[in-house]
Structures are given as C-alpha cells and as structure tokens.
Amino acid sequence: MPPSNADILRLTCGALDSHIAPQAGGSLARFNAGRQALMRPCADEGSTDPLTMACYPLLPFIGRIGLGHFRFEGRDIALLPHPISAPHALHGIGWQRPWRVVAASTCDATLALSHDAARDAGWPWSFEATQHFALEENALTITLAIENKNPNPMPTGLGLHPFFEGRQTAHLTGDLPYMWESAPDGLPTHRAEVTAANNFRRGCRVAPLTLDHCFSGGVGPLHIHWEDRALDLRLQGRNAGHTVIYTPQAHDFFCVEPVTHVPNAVNRQQPTEITGLKILQPGEAMQLACRFEVVGLP
C-alpha cells in the first residue's frame, strides 16, 4: 500500500537523499548528497507552496502565456493570470494541484495527476499526468509524462523548474547556441545567436547574469560547478529541446529549467519544430526526462 498523499516521500540511495511533497504540486522538497544541498532545500517540508520547494513540475505548458489568452483551432482560450506573472498565465496547473501517490519504495516513487476539464477551469482540456522519481547512487532522474484525454487535439508542453543555491560561486557550462530575446513583459520576441556575455560553451559565472530567458538548440548535458563545494551537477534532458535560465539578482538561487517549448509558444507564428510546442492528438502522450547526475562522489 503506497504512503498517504499527505506524507513526505523519502528516497535514499548511497549518499543521495531526496524528499518529495505530493501535496505541494508534486514537488521535490530536497535533493542532497550528505551535507551538500544539490538543489535549494525547502525550509518547511510541511508547506504546500511549490515556490518554496527545490523543484516543481511544469505542465501542460511552461512559462508565460501572454495575457492568459490564445486562439486554438477556432477557439478563444482564456486562462487565469498568476499573481507573480500577472496579467499573464504561468507554468500550467500541474504545480498548483496536489498529486496522488501511485507507488513508492526506498529509491523510487511515482505520482499521478488527473485533470478533468469539466470540473477544473484551470485548463480547458482533460489529461492524465505522471511523475516518476528514480534515485541511483550517483543521480536522480525525474520523468514527466502526459496523455491527452480529450476527443480533440491539445497544445502541450512539459518542463521542470529546479532551484539551485549558491549563484555567487556557481559556473554554468553547456552548448546553448540560441537565446530568445525577451520584451519588458517577460515574453520572448525573437531567437538570436547568444552574445559573448551569455555564451556558456566555455563556462560562465552565474553571479553577474540577469536572465529570465529561454535558450534553444543545445546538444549534450549542462554542467554546474560551485567554487566552494565539493560536488558538481550534470543535467541531461531527454526530449527537452529548450532550457530556461533564471538568475534573479535579488536572490542567491538560480534556475536551469529543461523544457519542451519556448514560453508563449501557443501565440507564436513560428512552426512547432522551432517553438517546440507539441499538439497531442486524442489519446496521444508525450514525455520529458531529466537526469541530475552528481559529479565528484567518492
């Protein structure tokens, strides 16, 4: 019998330890290797606020949808704005709903979310979603999946929103050749080649960056190194063609988010092979997985 949905799920494998909070949007509350926090730990694991968590899921869309409005197959779709992004909708509803525990063991767990559009006005299409957390001796893999449960197509996206501590000593390295420029309202305007200041191929200090941008076209993993910490992280996304990097100057955290489409993709004119937006047909499913590998373990 799986644990109660209200319980914190505790996974351990070797030196790694992770806690999952089903009631807080199916979020990850902590991911540690011994005394080193690999993501920003939640101070109160009894909280139901995903914004306090280490990582939360993004679905059925990621980022902002401008003014919470888009038109799809002849329908005008209106979504509620989120307070931190008003007047825009933000990150879908997965992070704002409690998830149920399907299965749990010492080193892995599966959560599920059933959305009925007739009962929940947050998103006008029904879907079934799952999250699978698998802890190995040197890595945590989070796999998100979603299935369209409607008789008509559904625009869809998936992502993860991890928070990392220690931006003052952090370096980010990876192949991120294109950046979507953003307007003052936070919505992307166009895709351009990265500048010298935002070129992560040779490694880039996170501290001076002021970013809330989506990057595209990357190949291979991203590497986070901290000058004052023993362990590094290597992030490898599968089916995540885009990465949102958020580096707020007012905080010591930063975010490196594997996602399947650019923000506001439903309102963009580019083809889906550019934006990453997926149109799921009835009964069709999609998946995103990210492996957070710990580098430097003894």
Side-chain angles (χ1 to χ4, degrees), residues 41-176:
C42 179
D44 176 12
E45 294 187 0
S47 170
T48 57
D49 181 3
L51 291 173
T52 67
M53 296 288 162
C55 178
Y56 56 78
L58 310 177
L59 62 96
F61 65 89
I62 67 94
R64 296 170 177 84
I65 290 181
L67 304 178
H69 177 268
F70 64 99
R71 189 166 178 81
F72 184 76
E73 295 201 328
R75 297 171 59 191
D76 280 307
I77 308 299
L79 306 174
L80 291 174
H82 192 276
I84 65 175
S85 64
H88 310 309
L90 184 69
H91 291 332
I93 61 173
W95 67 304
Q96 301 179 69
R97 303 291 187 271
W99 291 58
R100 68 182 185 275
V101 180
V102 175
S105 70
T106 302
C107 56
D108 74 330
T110 301
L111 308 183
L113 174 65
S114 300
H115 172 67
D116 183 348
R119 298 183 180 183
D120 185 339
W123 181 249
W125 290 272
S126 299
F127 63 78
E128 293 281 343
T130 59
Q131 283 190 88
H132 183 247
F133 301 82
L135 194 63
E136 308 167 58
E137 289 191 351
N138 68 334
L140 171 67
T141 299
I142 303 177
T143 303
L144 277 174
I146 188 169
E147 180 183 353
N148 179 7
K149 305 299 287 186
N150 305 274
N152 42 45
M154 176 178 76
T156 314
L158 297 173
L160 291 170
H161 199 308
F163 293 79
F164 302 103
E165 287 188 312
R167 61 169 288 163
Q168 294 304 316
T169 62
H171 296 249
L172 178 64
T173 304
D175 178 29
L176 297 170

